[in-house]
Amino acid sequence: MSLYYTEDHEWIQVDGDVAIVGITKHAQDALGDVVFVELPDVGKTFEQKEVAGVVESVKAAADVYMPVTGEVTEVNEALRDDPSLANSDPMGAGWFFKVRMSKADELAALMDEAAYTKLTDAA
């Protein structure tokens, strides 16, 4: 499995043509306590960088962008029921949705962990 990051602070873990998407620890730290998530509908197709969801905290609301073009195959119902999972485990149990990628070559435009760390350290 490969892990990538976007400039908008989403992470995407790729396993074959299916990937899991969530927000990074950096995004979670910036948002504060997450109180609501809006997840996409299963079966809906999104283009890369299209808004696929929303995360709201006590401080702000932020869009969740689709890291790669594809179809949503599953959403994290546990996160919908308990948005605080995005705080306690943003890179694990706090995942947002799974997507079947239709343009895997778009992964080349994303960052690896070293590049993402450099981006967030500079912020």
Side-chain angles (χ1 to χ4, degrees):
M1 285 192 260
S2 301
L3 187 61
Y4 300 90
Y5 299 86
T6 71
E7 291 179 358
D8 296 309
H9 309 290
E10 291 89 17
W11 58 266
I12 177 170
Q13 185 175 35
V14 178
D15 187 7
D17 68 342
V18 175
I20 302 170
V21 177
I23 62 170
T24 65
K25 173 102 172 73
H26 179 83
Q28 181 276 315
D29 287 344
L31 285 167
D33 291 335
V34 174
V35 296
F36 174 78
V37 293
E38 181 181 308
L39 301 173
D41 293 330
V42 171
K44 183 160 181 174
T45 301
F46 292 89
E47 294 293 318
Q48 184 180 39
K49 298 185 179 182
E50 192 174 356
V51 175
V54 176
V55 58
E56 294 182 11
S57 73
V58 293
K59 289 187 197 177
D63 290 331
V64 177
Y65 297 95
M66 182 62 76
V68 292
T69 300
E71 179 185 348
V72 175
T73 60
E74 185 179 344
V75 296
N76 187 350
E77 293 296 342
L79 180 66
R80 190 187 320 261
D81 295 339
D82 182 7
S84 70
L85 289 172
N87 296 109
S88 60
D89 193 9
M91 301 288 290
W95 62 276
F96 279 59
F97 54 85
K98 294 182 182 180
V99 59
R100 183 172 315 283
M101 299 181 298
S102 57
K103 296 180 183 175
D105 60 323
E106 293 174 339
L107 293 170
L110 303 179
M111 292 177 275
D112 62 13
E113 187 169 3
Y116 184 72
T117 299
K118 186 176 179 182
L119 172 78
T120 57
D121 286 350

